[in-house]
Amino acid sequence: MTMSAPLHRGLRHVALRVTNLARSRTFYEQLLGMKVVWEPDPDNVYFSSGSDNFALHQIPASDLASDQSLTGQLLDHIGVILESPEAVDRMYREIEPRLPKLGGRVVKPPKQHRDGSYSFYFSDPDGTVIQALYEPTISKQEWVKGKT
């Protein structure tokens, strides 16, 4: 049996466990312009860019030594959508020199992909890989700030 339409409105929430919440918060605020929408306590912060929800959760100090995500993970990468290949290049030029100071690094420089998409990859302070992506199908969708 196949569904005629998904029962959801898209993958718009990501939550990451981090080793240093203050450092990761600075990274996502300064590099990706994420805005805080909720900070329920000192160990959790929730951001949005207008149509998504992105959470950072501090790994408790007592769990840092045994946390499995520090030795390996199944997540390959998360991504942000850009409006054009030119926007990908512009973002690369703007963030590449800032990454080392904020604890990140370029993982792969801008590249044209076989499916017509164009992207580059960079990492956050904990090594989570982020793809800055122009994808012909979804990059053309209208983005309206504050609408979901």
Side-chain angles (χ1 to χ4, degrees):
M1 180 176 172
T2 60
M3 288 192 296
S4 59
L7 298 174
H8 56 82
R9 299 191 70 191
L11 181 60
R12 296 190 196 175
H13 173 70
V14 173
L16 294 178
R17 291 167 44 93
V18 298
T19 59
N20 182 319
L21 185 63
R23 178 182 67 180
S24 293
R25 176 182 179 152
T26 299
F27 180 89
Y28 286 99
E29 284 179 321
Q30 292 188 11
L31 209 60
L32 294 181
M34 301 297 284
K35 303 294 183 208
V36 174
V37 294
W38 187 41
E39 195 170 355
D41 55 56
D43 293 328
N44 299 281
V45 63
Y46 292 78
F47 299 98
S48 183
S49 64
S51 62
D52 52 18
N53 184 269
F54 180 68
L56 297 178
H57 304 300
Q58 173 66 53
I59 299 170
S62 60
D63 294 347
L64 281 173
S66 64
D67 191 87
Q68 293 299 317
S69 66
L70 299 178
T71 58
Q73 63 179 16
L74 298 177
L75 175 69
D76 184 71
H77 67 273
I78 59 176
V80 293
I81 299 298
L82 284 83
E83 64 188 29
S84 67
E86 295 79 20
V88 172
D89 286 334
R90 188 170 46 252
M91 183 177 180
Y92 180 79
R93 285 190 308 270
E94 287 182 21
I95 75 168
E96 189 268 336
R98 299 171 58 206
L99 278 166
K101 181 180 177 188
L102 293 169
R105 68 179 182 87
V106 171
V107 175
K108 294 180 185 175
K111 173 187 174 185
Q112 182 72 47
H113 301 281
R114 295 177 294 179
D115 66 354
S117 63
Y118 184 71
S119 72
F120 73 94
Y121 295 83
F122 59 102
S123 68
D124 77 0
D126 285 309
T128 299
V129 176
I130 304 157
Q131 182 182 27
L133 171 68
Y134 163 74
E135 198 287 324
T137 304
I138 58 178
S139 290
K140 292 176 185 176
Q141 294 177 354
E142 185 177 343
W143 183 82
V144 179
K145 187 174 181 175
K147 297 232 177 181
T148 57

